[in-house]
Amino acid sequence: PIAKEQARQYNIPAAITMAQALLESNAGESRLALKANNHFGIKCFSTTCKKGHCMNATDDSHKDFFRIYTSPEGSFRARSAFLQKKRYRHLLKLDITNYTEWAHGLKKAGYATDPRYGTKLIEVIENLELYKLDL
């Protein structure tokens, strides 16, 4: 439901939202998702973190801190807000059912460093038929 709400509110395909969440959080089983309700690997860049605001992931640099959310919905909303930045704004003009351009556009705009990121999103969407969320 939160992915569909974000689709209506921000014009971000629910299929893309769910594919990213599944891919980034290992289907909700990553340490970050389980301990911090962070399903998108959203980093914390605050220089004044208070206890409970962010956490370090053991497989990352000691300088890589990630936001902690009180609920998974918080990370979904933060990710939608993140995609309002200028570098992603052109994607918001795409048709909500155009998950392939969204997937490749996210990669091209620098959302992830994995060269196969767009292709991986498309594979998740098509294997799980997530595109039906946007019909």
Side-chain angles (χ1 to χ4, degrees):
I2 190 77
K4 285 187 164 193
E5 173 195 312
Q6 298 300 291
R8 283 188 297 277
Q9 190 172 356
Y10 293 100
N11 202 47
I12 299 168
I16 286 290
T17 298
M18 290 306 301
Q20 283 189 282
L22 290 165
L23 190 61
E24 299 282 343
S25 73
N26 191 30
E29 295 297 318
S30 72
R31 180 175 178 266
L32 202 53
L34 294 171
K35 301 271 186 197
N37 288 311
N38 189 332
H39 293 265
F40 298 94
I42 299 171
K43 291 190 176 182
C44 179
F45 296 103
S46 175
T47 57
T48 59
C49 284
K50 293 180 174 53
K51 185 175 175 149
H53 184 265
C54 57
M55 68 178 268
N56 183 263
T58 58
D59 60 341
D60 288 299
S61 161
H62 72 283
K63 294 179 182 176
D64 281 344
F65 286 90
F66 295 86
R67 286 289 314 272
I68 294 174
Y69 296 94
T70 56
S71 68
E73 291 85 2
S75 76
F76 278 70
R77 288 185 183 102
R79 181 273 198 162
S80 293
F82 180 79
L83 291 180
Q84 303 308 299
K85 290 183 176 187
K86 185 177 180 181
R87 70 197 279 189
Y88 303 109
R89 211 168 289 149
H90 66 284
L91 297 172
L92 301 173
K93 295 175 185 168
L94 294 173
D95 186 281
I96 200 139
T97 61
N98 195 346
Y99 64 88
T100 56
E101 279 201 45
W102 257 94
H104 292 304
L106 283 168
K107 169 59 188 128
K108 196 174 198 177
Y111 188 90
T113 57
D114 181 348
R116 292 198 65 246
Y117 190 73
T119 302
K120 287 179 179 180
L121 289 175
I122 292 167
E123 288 171 357
V124 170
I125 290 168
E126 291 178 350
N127 288 339
L128 299 176
E129 299 181 351
L130 296 176
Y131 52 82
K132 291 180 179 179
L133 294 170
D134 295 307
L135 298 178

